[in-house]
Amino acid sequence: MRATTIHAPFDMRVEDVPEPMVQLPTDAVVRVLRACICGSDLWAYRGESARQPGQRIGHEFLGIVEETGSEVSGVRTGDLVVAPFMWSDGVCDYCREGLTTSCVHGGFWGAVGYDGGQGEAVRVPFADGTLVRLPKEAASDEHLLSALLTLSDVMGTGHHAALGAGAGKGATVAVVGDGAVGLCAVLAAKRLGAERIIALGRHRTRTDIARAFGATDVVAERGEAAVEAVRELTRGQGAHAVVEAVGTEQSMRTAVDITRDGGAIGFVGVPHGSGTGLDLGVMFDRNIALRGGVAPVRAYIPELLPDILDGTIDPSPVFDLTVGLEGVPDGYKAMDERTALKVLIVNS
């Protein structure tokens, strides 16, 4: 089959690799219909996250179950399914508590020796604990497929950030970051009942999506100017609920500075370039809570899925460029150069 591999910084290739097969009784093989490129994939692309030459990549996909192991009972051949960005067994203590990303048997797609989502098919370990069945009729609805694909990562991650920040009915929420996760956090905050949502971002096409998703205000400034703008919008106090969806030292500092005393930050940006750390004294003095981390999206899919199916939320606008599998290297280039927000991969 064909699959995306990474060989060196900026060297992405689509190559022939062995077809996946059921290796363990708990496995399934999924033929990929839709996948995408994540902003976090760019750290590997830029050489800031180590990868072995030829390693697979991609952690967001949905598709059709092609084969199952003898112990798989939750999905059957022919089912349309979505996979969260990590596999999990569904039965360990962490999975039972909803923290599927800490599963004792879990792992990431594209890890050494495992398939990545940016290919024609994927071997799925612990299929019963990992895969979520979708309505079969969705397979013929292009728009709905795009929306459902966001359940594999960005919609669930945005939801995790909004929950960590304490977004809820009547809340004022500020979102630092205008990538797909930040935009989905806006949508999640709106879904959770936030009354005011301040989106921080400089790119008009992205902030237009933020407004469509429920943002009431947009702050285009950065650094101290952004802090001043948010405080001006909030009577000098800042927002009770702040989402940090970038992962840099600067973005976290901005998040702390725009959080109201007694408020909380939901952080989901993959940390990079933050070696000097946070000033815990500031957070201590102002009673600021910090919650978040790797989003256990498998635990959120059953909650978010009905709202996508009935149209209550539609995260599909985060995809603004579509490529076939052979066009994936061009998709990486487009996202790296910020000419694309998030690239959808369609397997014919």
Side-chain angles (χ1 to χ4, degrees), residues 172-195:
T172 293
V173 180
V175 178
V176 181
D178 59 2
V181 169
L183 295 175
C184 285
V186 171
L187 189 59
K190 178 70 173 178
R191 176 183 174 275
L192 292 168
E195 183 175 319

Side-chain angles (χ1 to χ4, degrees), residues 4-6 10 12 36-46 56-59 118 321 323 327-340 343 345:
T4 306
T5 56
I6 181 168
F10 307 103
M12 310 300 297
C36 52
I37 301 173
C38 183
S40 64
D41 291 331
L42 296 180
W43 301 117
Y45 179 70
R46 294 166 180 159
R56 308 286 181 81
I57 196 166
H59 55 259
Q118 295 163 16
L321 177 63
V323 299
V328 168
D330 291 335
Y332 272 88
K333 186 172 186 290
M335 284 183 62
D336 182 53
E337 295 176 349
R338 297 183 74 86
T339 58
V343 174
I345 302 166

